[in-house]
C-alpha cells in the first residue's frame, strides 16, 4: 500500500496493531498502513481501521466498501471470509487494549478530568489555555466513558503534545479502568456531588469512584476544588474561594458579557457567567502556570475561550433571551445555574424552566423539592416545570409561582406569549429542554 505524506501520523499505531494481533495468532501483512480509526462506518475512508462496536457489526460490509484497511468485529458475520476482517472475543476490549498500547507509545502529557459537575466546561477551558502554546487535543464531544475515552486516544497523533481527557462514570471501578488506559500525568477533580446516586447510593461512594484517579497521579500534579469538604484531607493543589487554598479566587464580578475575577493577585476575565466558572477557569490557569505559560498568554487565551454548547449558552430568538444550560443536570448544578441566572444583570423579567434531574435514586423527589425551594428564593417571574419528578415536588410545595406542564411544546407556547423575558433552561440530558428553542 502506498503511504501518503500525511499518513505518517499513525505509523506507531500501525506497528502496535500488527504486533497486537500477532500475539493473538492473527498475522497481518507488514504492508498495511492505518490512516485513522473509526467506529462509525459512514466515516470510514481508504486506510481506516473500523472497530465494530455492538450494532456496528451490522455495518462491516459498508466499512469494507468504503475502503477499510482492517475491520475488527466480535460477531459471526458473512464478511468473516475476508482476509482483512478479524473476529475477536470482545471488540470493546480490543479497542481498550489498543488504546492502552498506543498511549504508552505516545510521548505526550495526559490531563485527566473527572468530577460530578463542570467536567466538560473545565476541559474546554484547559484546552483553551494550553492550545495557543502546545499542540493539544481534547475529548471529542461526550466520548468520556469506557468506549469514548479509548476511541479519543486512538484519534491522537504522534506530534500531539497534550491530551485533555474527560472521564465520566456511573459506578465504582470505571475511573480505575479509564486511568489504566489513559495513564494520566495530571489530574483534575472538579467536585463531589449528587450525580449517579441511583447507582452509587451516596456521596461517599461518589467520592470513592471519582478518586480512583488519584492512584495514578502524584499529589503535586493533582488539582482539586479545595472548598469541597471531601477534599479537605486529600493531598493536592487546592483551588477555591476559601483562604486556606493554594490558589484563592476573589473579587469576582458578573456582567452580561462574562466574569472578571482574581486568582491570588492576578486578574482574569472569561466570557462565561456563573461564579462556578471561575473555579473551572482556575483549573486551566493553574495548569497553564505549571506548564510554563506566562500570565499574559493565559489571560489573553481565556478571553477567546470556546465552550461546548448547552452550557449556560446565550441564544436570542424571537426577542426572547434563552440561557440554554440543558445539556445535563444534578441538584448541585441546578442550584448553581439558578444562582448564576439570578445574578445575571438583565433588563428583562426572568423565567426559569426546570425539568427532571435523572439517576438520583430513592430520594429523587426530596432533591427536586430542594431545587424548587432554591428557585423560590430568587425573584423569578415564573418557574415552569416539566417531568414527573418535578410534578410531584411542585405539588408538595404548592406555590402559585410554580406552573407544571405535561408537554414541552406547551411551555414553548407559554413563553412565546410573554414579552421582554430571559429564560433559563435546565434539566437532565434525557429531558431535551433545548427543543423549546427550536
Amino acid at each position: 500500500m502506498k503511504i501518503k505524506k500525511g499518513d505518517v501520523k499513525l505509523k506507531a499505531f500501525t506497528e502496535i496493531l500488527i504486533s497486537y494481533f500477532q500475539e493473538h495468532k492473527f498475522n497481518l501483512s507488514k504492508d498495511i498502513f492505518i490512516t485513522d480509526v473509526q467506529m462509525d462506518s459512514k466515516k470510514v475512508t481508504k486506510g481506516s481501521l473500523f472497530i465494530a462496536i455492538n450494532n456496528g457489526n451490522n455495518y462491516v460490509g459498508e466499512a469494507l466498501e468504503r475502503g477499510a484497511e482492517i475491520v475488527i468485529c466480535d460477531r459471526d458475520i458473512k464478511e468473516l471470509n475476508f482476509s482483512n476482517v478479524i473476529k475477536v472475543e470482545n471488540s470493546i476490549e480490543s479497542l481498550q487494549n489498543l488504546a492502552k498500547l498506543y498511549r504508552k507509545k505516545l510521548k505526550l502529557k495526559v490531563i485527566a478530568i473527572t468530577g460530578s459537575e463542570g467536567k466538560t466546561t473545565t476541559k474546554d477551558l484547559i484546552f483553551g489555555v494550553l492550545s495557543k502554546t502546545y499542540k493539544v487535543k481534547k475529548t471529542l464531544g461526550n466520548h468520556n466513558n469506557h468506549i469514548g475515552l479509548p476511541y479519543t486516544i486512538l484519534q491522537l497523533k504522534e506530534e500531539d503534545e497534550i491530551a485533555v481527557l474527560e472521564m465520566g462514570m456511573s459506578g465504582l471501578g470505571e475511573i480505575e479502568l479509564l486511568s489504566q488506559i489513559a495513564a494520566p500525568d495530571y489530574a483534575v477533580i472538579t467536585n463531589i456531588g449528587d450525580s449517579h446516586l441511583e447507582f452509587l447510593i451516596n456521596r461517599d461512594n461518589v467520592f470513592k469512584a471519582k478518586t480512583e484517579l488519584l492512584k495514578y497521579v502524584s499529589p503535586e500534579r493533582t488539582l482539586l476544588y479545595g472548598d469541597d469538604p471531601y477534599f479537605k484531607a486529600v493531598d493536592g493543589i487546592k483551588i477555591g474561594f476559601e483562604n486556606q487554598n493554594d490558589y484563592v479566587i476573589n473579587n469576582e464580578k458578573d456582567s452580561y458579557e462574562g466574569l472578571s475575577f482574581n486568582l491570588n493577585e492576578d486578574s482574569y476575565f472569561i466570557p462565561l457567567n456563573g461564579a462556578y466558572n471561575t473555579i473551572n477557569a482556575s483549573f486551566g490557569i493553574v495548569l497553564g502556570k505549571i506548564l510554563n505559560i506566562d500570565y499574559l498568554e493565559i489571560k489573553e487565551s481565556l478571553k477567546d475561550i470556546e465552550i461546548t454548547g448547552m452550557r449556560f449558552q446565550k441564544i436570542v430568538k424571537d426577542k426572547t433571551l434563552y440561557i440554554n444550560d440543558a445539556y445535563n443536570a444534578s441538584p448541585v448544578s441546578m442550584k448553581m445555574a439558578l444562582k448564576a441566572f439570578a445574578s445575571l444583570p438583565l433588563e428583562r423579567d426572568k423565567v426559569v424552566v426546570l425539568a427532571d434531574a435523572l439517576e438520583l435514586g430513592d430520594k429523587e423527589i426530596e432533591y427536586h423539592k430542594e431545587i424548587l425551594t432554591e428557585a423560590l428564593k430568587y425573584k423569578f417571574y415564573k418557574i415552569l416545570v416539566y417531568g414527573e419528578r418535578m410534578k410531584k415536588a411542585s405539588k408538595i410545595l404548592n406555590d402559585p409561582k410554580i406552573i407544571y406542564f405535561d408537554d414541552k411544546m406547551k411551555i414553548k407556547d407559554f413563553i412565546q406569549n410573554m414579552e421582554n423575558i430571559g429564560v433559563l433552561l435546565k434539566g437532565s440530558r434525557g429531558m431535551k429542554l433545548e427543543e423549546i428553542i427550536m
Side-chain angles (χ1 to χ4, degrees), residues 103 111 188 325 373 412:
R103 162 66 184 109
I111 299 167
V188 175
D325 202 29
T373 301
K412 183 176 183 176

Side-chain angles (χ1 to χ4, degrees), residues 109-287:
K109 301 292 185 186
V110 169
I111 299 167
I113 304 166
T114 193
S116 296
E117 284 87 27
K119 292 186 294 295
T120 300
T121 302
T122 299
K123 172 196 72 179
D124 291 339
L125 284 157
I126 292 171
F127 175 84
V129 168
L130 303 183
S131 58
K132 288 189 177 180
T133 304
Y134 297 97
K135 292 180 180 176
V136 188
K137 292 283 176 61
K138 63 179 178 177
T139 295
L140 309 167
N142 61 347
H143 287 306
N144 64 5
N145 65 3
H146 65 296
I147 296 173
L149 180 134
Y151 177 68
T152 299
I153 289 173
L154 294 181
Q155 306 307 306
L156 298 172
K157 301 176 185 178
E158 290 175 63
E159 61 264 31
D160 289 328
E161 297 173 298
I162 297 174
V164 186
L165 302 180
E166 188 178 330
M167 291 184 174
M169 62 95 212
S170 57
L172 293 165
E174 293 179 42
I175 298 295
E176 176 97 30
L177 171 65
L178 300 182
S179 299
Q180 290 170 358
I181 295 168
D185 299 281
Y186 300 90
V188 175
I189 307 182
T190 59
N191 73 326
I192 302 300
D194 302 315
S195 302
H196 307 301
L197 291 185
E198 182 178 352
F199 311 106
L200 288 166
I201 310 302
N202 56 50
R203 281 195 182 188
D204 288 349
N205 285 334
V206 175
F207 173 73
K208 288 177 187 175
K210 298 294 185 184
T211 53
E212 289 168 0
L213 175 60
L214 299 182
K215 289 190 286 182
Y216 296 86
V217 184
S218 62
E220 61 270 19
R221 290 185 167 193
T222 297
L223 281 62
L224 305 166
Y225 175 44
D227 297 355
D228 193 308
Y230 277 95
F231 295 141
K232 299 296 183 186
V234 178
D235 290 336
I237 300 168
K238 300 195 179 163
I239 298 164
F241 299 96
E242 297 172 2
N243 288 332
Q244 75 273 15
N245 288 301
D246 300 295
Y247 289 89
V248 180
I249 302 163
N250 55 80
N251 293 332
E252 64 274 12
K253 294 177 184 175
D254 214 342
S255 67
Y256 182 80
E257 290 76 22
L259 283 160
S260 60
F261 65 99
N262 284 7
L263 186 63
N264 290 349
E265 301 304 318
D266 294 331
S267 62
Y268 300 92
F269 174 84
I270 52 173
L272 304 172
N273 295 103
Y276 54 88
N277 275 318
T278 62
I279 304 162
N280 301 333
S282 295
F283 287 127
I285 293 166
V286 174
L287 278 166

Side-chain angles (χ1 to χ4, degrees), residues 295-423:
Y295 164 65
L296 289 178
E297 286 184 49
I298 294 172
K299 186 171 183 173
E300 287 304 307
S301 65
L302 285 172
K303 291 178 181 178
D304 302 325
I305 216 79
E306 292 183 11
I307 299 298
T308 304
M310 292 197 281
R311 273 83 174 177
F312 219 83
Q313 179 184 13
K314 298 185 184 81
I315 299 170
V316 177
K317 185 176 181 183
D318 300 328
K319 296 183 180 180
T320 297
L321 170 67
Y322 292 92
I323 305 295
N324 184 4
D325 202 29
Y327 183 77
N328 219 335
S330 69
V332 171
S333 69
M334 292 182 90
K335 290 174 185 177
M336 289 193 299
L338 289 166
K339 184 178 180 180
F341 185 53
S343 65
L344 188 67
L346 297 178
E347 294 181 0
R348 298 168 179 259
D349 288 326
K350 294 179 179 178
V351 175
V352 295
V353 180
L354 302 175
D356 288 354
L358 307 177
E359 299 180 358
L360 293 178
D362 295 341
K363 295 182 179 179
E364 60 180 8
I365 304 306
E366 183 180 331
Y367 283 120
H368 284 77
K369 181 185 169 187
E370 287 178 11
I371 293 163
L372 291 178
T373 301
E374 181 76 10
L376 288 167
K377 284 169 45 178
Y378 303 108
K379 295 179 180 179
F380 298 133
Y381 181 60
K382 295 290 181 186
I383 301 167
L384 314 181
V385 299
Y386 169 69
E388 288 303 309
R389 296 158 186 82
M390 281 295 177
K391 178 182 180 181
K392 291 175 182 176
S394 63
K395 280 187 175 180
I396 294 169
L397 292 174
N398 193 29
D399 190 289
K401 191 181 280 190
I402 302 172
I403 307 172
Y404 168 74
F405 293 82
D406 60 4
D407 187 327
K408 276 179 287 191
M409 294 306 101
K410 291 180 182 177
I411 297 177
K412 183 176 183 176
D413 293 340
F414 187 90
I415 290 169
Q416 287 177 342
N417 287 324
M418 303 174 78
E419 293 183 359
N420 196 36
I421 59 170
V423 181

